[in-house]
Amino acid sequence: MPSAETKPKTLYDKVFDAHVVNEQDDGTVLLYIDRHLVHEVTSPQAFEGLKNASRKVRRPDCTLVTVDHNIPTSSRKNFKNAEEFIEETDSRLQCTTLEENVKDFGLTYFGMGDKRQGIVHIIGPEQGFTLPGTTVVCGDSHTSTHGAFGALAFGIGTSEVEHVLATQTLITRRSKNMRIQVDGQLPPGVTSKDVVLHIIGVIGTAGGTGAVIEFCGSVIRGLSMEARMSMCNMSIEAGARAGMIAPDETTFEYLKGRPLAPKYDSAEWKKAVNYWSSLKSDADAAYDTNVVLDGKDIIPTISWGTSPQDVIPITGVVPGPDDFQDENRKTSCKRALEYMGLTAGTPMKEIVVDKVFIGSCTNARIEDLRAAAKVVNGRKVASNIKLAMIVPGSGLVKAQAESEGLDQIFTDAGFEWREAGCSMCLGMNPDILQPQERCASTSNRNFEGRQGAGGRTHLMSPAMAATAAIVGKLADVREHVSASPVAAKAEPKVDVQQDYDSPETEDELDRVLDLPADNEPHTNTSAGSSAGLPKFTTLKGIAAPMDRANVDTDAIIPKQFLKTIKRTGLGSAAFHELRYTNGQENPDFVLNQGVYRNAKILVVTGPNFGCGSSREHAPWALLDFGIKCIIAPSFADIFFNNTFKNGMLPLVISDEAALQKIAAEARAGRELEVDLVNQEIKDAQGSKIAGFDVESFRRHCLINGLDDIGITLQMEGKIRSFEAKRSLETPWLDGSGYLKRGNRGATMVEAAPVPKTNRGDVKNEPLEW
Ligand SMILES: CC(C)[C@H](C(=O)O)[C@@H](O)C(=O)O
Ligand code: SF4
């Protein structure tokens, strides 16, 4: 056996190992976080937690904040401030709460009046905030996007957002290694979006559970950074913790001249590139799973159902339950066909579309817009299309597209040209589908109700969505455009400097100056801080049975309830779309029936519970309903973590016979007892039905009601030594370019750290600095 030092490592192992602050014997790791992106939906409760415990943000210089999910995409010509601009009360409150928080904590913020505002996963890379070899987190599942740079980037829940804000670390464990190699070459008309949809079709939405996927092979090497981002973005849809691609010349080329990357050609840049070049898997590194695909087998791919694994080549027909072996898939197929209003056997190309959405963190970058414009150029949107919209991923993408005349191509064809934001990807703002409307969408999730209650989503590439807009039906781009719309590998540079007055005189010393006024980390103490959690020892109560697979967090708590700035009060909204029909309780749904109304335990017989979004609102809603324990054959990673942070217990029972025994008790309406101390599930008479295993650190915290942040703060010494080492080895990660440059150039004033208001009237304080 080679020693730990000499053992060949994967890219993931290398980045992970380089960030370990502390490792316990049971594998619990305190991991240092280099980059934290924050948005309005998943942060209010985290900032509230900090305030309640009188804590500060430890590293404002490593934190970047924007608004994206709730904001309208209508013209901002008359924009003055979010308070006046956002009409919907809850959305407005979420955005203004964020603005108060960035002021109170002195954070760098791209507000709606700043050209650099955009979807978090678009602006991080665009600004050079995302760098190879870093750890990147955000309270958002599509943080996986940033893995395209060889960063270890993953979504976290709100409790973890608070943990990172307070400590700049996370408590985590190692994931498995999965390699997906795509060899050969892609045929014309096939893009990275088709590749990733195809992959999810092959491995399924739970295929990557517990693993970090490394994408490699000649097809991946040949992709531009933007195309790589689209792929890593959707690794969460394959159930993975993260997706990664080893950095190479394409990556370095993309990073040249980005405001927050080391200055190009400086000694620091060279040092960085030298380090980044070492970030590749060792030749004989071992993977837990290997998948090998050939690019030539991939055809433009599109989704037909309500899960991202429900995909098919555009040349295919809508499948039926008989096309699947697995019972769970047969049942979900039936339900999906009903929801989608489709009949098995219908050719995909005959499906008529009502709306077209080109946007989202998967496909709203300049290359995506160019690919769509190439299809649209000189043509008109079909007359049956009620709305075709282009929503650029950031203000800078929008400006770049306008400078290339793409906006004109789109508007001439009949598309609406909007302002940056998440928009109809999840419809937290006014951009939604009406019930039964069918949408060709470049986003990443086709869950029931995702783009609007009753709305029907088909996922596809920008070129395919543009083709659907022109044809009025789902259509094959290859039949409508002669040349491949795939962008060349040459990097499509968005002009990130346009707002940015970079001083000519910068030299190496700059890095030292390039620090916030108080570059000392803001240290929090563990003393007298947050309240901790209620202890979980045993739980006795009614268990509700749920025979479903892939229950996503959009289903557990739909988007309209994410606008709260509190953790409580979501119980009545849990499983909203399943629980109510036209405002009336649906009698078929288990939680509306007799004893199950008071269920404390949920027994799910299908795999992959809690997949999709990172919203901690899902466990909050279950907890508020009264459910403290969920038993299932497997869970999606982020949901699994989120439950523990709320004193809840997710129990993996992978033994089918044991699970069926437990489910039988639940179906009979009898109580179960979950004994965490002895790790046993008992029936109402107290006889053991099954045993289980919970990682010792997590068990210890639950049983003793311990607060993670408090525990981590006791490691201050170790965190400080880690930071000192980081400053020496990767100095480019300290300080934020904005925080210094903001004091120099007038055009940068709006991005300076936000002083705490001293007028006591935050609402009337101008927000566009
Ligand atoms: C709001 C946020 C928690 C969520 C996510 O984590 O993915 C959102 O971005 C989504 O796409 O559903
Ligand atoms: S998936 Fe959609 S809602 Fe989520 S961050 Fe991306 S664009 Fe926004």
Side-chain angles (χ1 to χ4, degrees):
M1 270 295 273
S3 74
E5 285 308 304
T6 56
K7 197 172 153 244
K9 287 182 177 183
T10 62
L11 166 63
Y12 163 68
D13 297 336
K14 289 185 183 179
V15 180
F16 189 96
D17 287 351
H19 289 85
V20 174
V21 175
N22 185 56
E23 184 155 13
Q24 300 180 27
D25 291 343
D26 75 342
T28 304
V29 168
L30 188 66
L31 195 74
Y32 196 81
I33 301 302
D34 295 314
R35 295 289 182 250
H36 189 188
L37 288 152
V38 176
H39 66 67
E40 80 277 16
V41 182
T42 51
S43 63
Q45 298 85 350
F47 284 116
E48 187 189 35
L50 286 190
K51 284 181 178 167
N52 289 344
S54 307
R55 287 171 176 154
K56 302 183 191 116
V57 172
R58 185 181 177 91
R59 296 296 301 251
D61 60 325
C62 299
T63 310
L64 180 60
V65 188
T66 195
V67 267
D68 50 8
H69 285 69
N70 276 279
I71 55 176
T73 53
S74 51
S75 166
R76 290 185 204 156
K77 273 202 186 99
N78 300 320
F79 176 81
K80 286 202 207 76
N81 55 48
E83 176 75 37
E84 287 171 46
F85 193 78
I86 305 176
E87 284 173 19
E88 207 273 322
T89 319
D90 295 335
S91 291
R92 183 172 61 237
L93 179 64
Q94 218 164 47
C95 294
T96 52
T97 303
L98 181 71
E99 298 191 333
E100 282 174 30
N101 284 325
V102 293
K103 282 186 178 181
D104 292 348
F105 289 96
L107 304 177
T108 303
Y109 172 60
F110 294 171
M112 287 178 74
D114 189 318
K115 274 226 174 70
R116 294 162 301 176
Q117 174 271 334
I119 306 172
V120 265
H121 311 308
I122 305 248
I123 66 167
E126 197 168 76
Q127 294 296 318
F129 185 69
T130 306
L131 293 170
T134 51
T135 43
V136 182
V137 296
C138 173
D140 198 285
S141 55
H142 289 100
T143 311
S144 57
T145 312
H146 310 259
F149 290 79
L152 171 58
F154 52 91
I156 55 177
T158 298
S159 299
E160 291 180 314
V161 168
E162 185 180 338
H163 195 283
V164 177
L165 289 172
T167 69
Q168 206 58 34
T169 64
L170 260 187
I171 297 177
T172 188
R173 302 176 67 80
R174 281 169 206 277
S175 301
K176 291 196 197 116
N177 280 291
M178 179 173 195
R179 176 167 57 185
I180 300 187
Q181 185 170 333
V182 192
D183 292 327
Q185 263 197 324
L186 295 180
V190 178
T191 67
S192 59
K193 181 66 167 286
D194 301 298
V195 178
V196 73
L197 286 173
H198 177 83
I199 290 173
I200 298 166
V202 172
I203 68 171
T205 45
T209 306
V212 168
I213 300 177
E214 180 178 341
F215 296 104
C216 61
S218 55
V219 162
I220 309 297
R221 288 266 79 86
L223 295 176
S224 70
M225 282 314 293
E226 300 207 345
R228 293 179 190 183
M229 285 187 243
S230 305
M231 290 203 58
C232 289
N233 174 279
M234 288 197 73
S235 30
I236 185 73
E237 266 63 60
R241 186 87 180 111
M244 294 178 87
I245 295 175
D248 58 9
E249 281 306 320
T250 307
T251 321
F252 311 148
E253 188 56 36
Y254 176 95
L255 287 169
K256 280 183 192 166
R258 303 265 158 197
L260 297 179
K263 187 172 170 357
Y264 177 59
D265 230 14
S266 63
E268 190 167 72
W269 167 265
K270 287 175 190 150
K271 183 174 175 187
V273 169
N274 195 28
Y275 171 57
W276 297 341
S277 305
S278 72
L279 297 172
K280 43 169 102 58
S281 294
D282 294 331
D284 34 8
Y287 293 83
D288 300 280
T289 325
N290 280 291
V291 177
V292 181
L293 300 167
D294 194 328
K296 77 168 171 359
D297 301 333
I298 305 175
I299 297 178
T301 300
I302 195 158
S303 72
W304 58 268
T306 52
S307 159
Q309 69 189 359
D310 296 342
V311 292
I312 191 152
I314 182 67
T315 46
V317 298
V318 175
D322 295 343
D323 294 319
F324 300 96
Q325 307 293 323
D326 178 79
E327 278 309 315
N328 278 323
R329 294 244 17 212
K330 279 185 195 291
T331 320
S332 354
C333 174
K334 239 171 138 178
R335 187 180 160 93
L337 292 184
E338 205 176 300
Y339 181 85
M340 293 296 288
L342 294 174
T343 313
T346 310
M348 291 303 286
K349 286 192 274 186
E350 280 177 18
I351 298 172
V352 177
V353 169
D354 302 304
K355 287 187 174 165
V356 176
F357 169 63
I358 298 182
S360 88
C361 57
T362 319
N363 282 124
R365 298 180 182 83
I366 190 68
E367 252 187 39
D368 300 315
L369 304 194
R370 286 184 190 141
K374 195 160 175 182
V375 175
V376 167
N377 198 2
R379 296 171 166 161
K380 292 275 178 227
V381 168
S383 58
N384 63 300
I385 300 288
K386 297 182 204 160
L387 171 70
M389 64 198 297
I390 312 275
V391 186
S394 71
L396 293 182
V397 171
K398 179 168 185 270
Q400 175 77 23
E402 286 169 357
S403 76
E404 295 178 18
L406 306 187
D407 57 326
Q408 201 59 48
I409 295 179
F410 289 123
T411 47
D412 285 352
F415 277 88
E416 291 193 11
W417 180 245
R418 298 292 189 92
E419 299 280 345
C422 293
S423 178
M424 206 194 271
C425 173
L426 95 166
M428 280 186 79
N429 75 347
D431 307 337
I432 54 166
L433 295 181
Q434 296 306 314
Q436 273 99 56
E437 273 181 349
R438 190 177 297 286
C439 183
S441 177
T442 64
S443 54
N444 44 43
R445 289 185 174 141
N446 51 347
F447 302 146
E448 286 184 21
R450 169 78 181 178
Q451 296 191 288
R456 297 164 172 165
T457 305
H458 293 273
L459 305 174
M460 63 196 76
S461 72
M464 290 282 284
T467 314
I470 302 302
V471 178
K473 293 180 190 175
L474 300 181
D476 189 338
V477 61
R478 298 168 304 173
E479 292 165 12
H480 299 272
V481 179
S482 45
S484 158
V486 186
K489 186 171 160 176
E491 211 42 66
K493 269 259 161 40
V494 166
D495 182 8
V496 286
Q497 302 290 350
Q498 57 183 346
D499 246 11
Y500 184 76
D501 191 13
S502 181
E504 290 301 306
T505 55
E506 276 183 328
D507 57 19
E508 278 313 287
L509 269 180
D510 251 11
R511 182 53 57 187
V512 183
L513 299 170
D514 199 7
L515 301 170
D518 58 343
N519 195 44
E520 277 299 288
H522 296 171
T523 310
N524 291 304
T525 62
S526 53
S529 44
S530 60
L533 293 166
K535 296 179 182 176
F536 189 123
T537 48
T538 60
L539 174 72
K540 196 166 179 189
I542 290 293
M546 184 171 275
D547 295 321
R548 280 173 184 264
N550 299 315
V551 176
D552 58 76
T553 50
D554 276 65
I556 301 172
I557 188 84
K559 52 168 165 278
Q560 60 271 34
F561 303 104
L562 306 188
K563 298 186 184 188
T564 175
I565 56 169
K566 299 281 164 209
R567 285 180 152 97
T568 48
L570 290 169
S572 56
F575 294 109
H576 192 269
E577 308 300 313
L578 299 167
R579 210 155 133 212
Y580 306 99
T581 315
N582 301 326
Q584 300 294 311
E585 274 193 3
N586 168 8
D588 297 334
F589 188 66
V590 63
L591 298 182
N592 291 332
Q593 299 165 354
V595 290
Y596 300 125
R597 288 177 181 277
N598 299 316
K600 291 189 182 160
I601 301 166
L602 191 64
V603 182
V604 188
T605 51
N608 199 26
F609 187 84
C611 57
S613 152
S614 66
R615 54 191 74 173
E616 198 163 317
H617 309 68
W620 294 336
L622 293 173
L623 191 60
D624 201 59
F625 179 90
I627 292 172
K628 271 192 90 175
C629 171
I630 304 117
I631 300 175
S634 61
F635 291 89
D637 289 343
I638 307 178
F639 177 85
F640 189 72
N641 281 336
N642 284 344
T643 47
F644 282 107
K645 308 285 172 194
N646 289 280
M648 299 165 73
L649 179 61
L651 277 186
V652 180
I653 302 287
S654 42
D655 177 59
E656 177 64 19
L659 185 63
Q660 284 309 331
K661 263 198 203 158
I662 298 166
E665 294 302 303
R667 288 190 197 106
R670 289 192 284 267
E671 283 193 333
L672 285 176
E673 186 179 341
V674 176
D675 177 347
L676 178 59
V677 181
N678 297 306
Q679 306 201 98
E680 288 179 349
I681 299 176
K682 300 174 195 157
D683 64 16
Q685 275 71 49
S687 312
K688 176 176 170 181
I689 330 181
F692 59 82
D693 213 8
V694 175
E695 291 146 16
S696 59
F697 179 70
R698 288 185 144 146
R699 190 162 145 254
H700 171 74
C701 290
L702 273 185
I703 291 177
N704 297 293
L706 299 180
D707 149 45
D708 278 3
I709 300 181
I711 297 175
T712 299
L713 289 175
Q714 292 169 7
M715 304 247 189
E716 173 62 22
K718 287 199 170 187
I719 300 174
R720 281 198 158 240
S721 331
F722 184 92
E723 283 172 335
K725 190 169 133 266
R726 187 183 93 143
S727 298
L728 272 180
E729 290 173 0
T730 51
W732 56 88
L733 297 180
D734 282 335
S736 160
Y738 303 124
L739 295 179
K740 180 190 67 178
R741 291 171 183 136
N743 299 331
R744 287 205 198 155
T747 53
M748 284 300 292
V749 169
E750 75 267 42
V754 188
K756 188 168 164 38
T757 178
N758 52 16
R759 284 194 254 137
D761 182 6
V762 178
K763 286 208 175 108
N764 296 324
E765 187 107 12
L767 267 165
E768 297 312 319
W769 304 278

